Amino acid sequence: MKDMDGRFETLTERQRTYLRMVHNLCSSQEIAFHTGETESTINGQIKKACRKLGAHGRIEAARQFHDYERRVQLLDPGGSNYASRPQPLWPLPWVMPSRAGTLNVMTRQQVISWALIVSIGIPMAVTVAAMLIIAISFLLGTHA
């Protein structure tokens, strides 16, 4: 089993990401949208991963890699080797997708933080704007 696992270790992080997305039934076009890569780059990386794993197609490669990750997780329940690192609460990621990060996945705490910022910030901004308009109208003598 250890010899067979060696082929999974040769996969690049990009190939691993693409195989995870294929396992979640994403097409190359959807992967391209989420990662900012071209479809041809994604297809090429998936083909390389298939060759490394000896799989006959992308679905089979994705299934093999998924099974491998599940097996590794069972051996390493804390996930210290393969688990993704938790996102810090601060600084908050930008809400809109950007070129640097087209796929913006925030934690529940980050979403709540943004909701609080917006729900407090917008009324404050409207109040300040109204106060400025009133102050300017007093200065200009147009206030009734």
Side-chain angles (χ1 to χ4, degrees):
M1 188 71 92
K2 184 69 172 168
D3 294 336
M4 291 179 67
D5 286 350
R7 61 192 172 138
F8 295 105
E9 299 297 327
T10 63
L11 294 173
T12 65
E13 190 56 40
R14 212 164 47 157
Q15 291 167 345
R16 291 168 182 254
T17 300
Y18 297 160
L19 289 176
R20 286 183 194 110
M21 294 178 89
V22 168
H23 187 264
N24 289 329
L25 303 177
C26 290
S27 67
S28 293
Q29 186 178 13
E30 292 169 322
I31 297 171
F33 175 78
H34 289 297
T35 61
E37 296 288 339
T38 64
E39 285 184 60
S40 59
T41 300
I42 291 162
N43 289 332
Q45 289 295 317
I46 291 174
K47 284 180 186 177
K48 286 180 185 178
C50 288
R51 281 195 300 272
K52 288 179 182 180
L53 299 180
H56 297 290
R58 61 194 286 145
I59 301 296
E60 182 183 342
R63 183 194 49 78
Q64 287 178 10
F65 182 64
H66 175 73
D67 292 345
Y68 165 73
E69 283 197 317
R70 264 191 26 215
R71 194 169 59 250
V72 167
Q73 188 176 13
L74 289 174
L75 297 174
D76 185 18
S80 59
N81 291 329
Y82 294 95
S84 61
R85 304 290 177 245
Q87 277 188 301
L89 177 62
W90 197 262
L92 290 173
W94 185 240
V95 180
M96 302 300 292
S98 65
R99 185 76 174 135
T102 53
L103 179 61
N104 192 353
V105 180
M106 295 190 290
T107 64
R108 181 177 300 142
Q109 290 85 3
Q110 290 170 332
V111 170
I112 291 170
S113 298
W114 269 116
L116 287 172
I117 289 170
V118 169
S119 64
I120 293 170
I122 289 177
M124 284 179 58
V126 169
T127 302
V128 168
M131 289 169 56
L132 284 173
I133 291 171
I134 292 171
I136 291 172
S137 69
F138 273 128
L139 289 173
L140 296 175
T142 58
H143 186 70

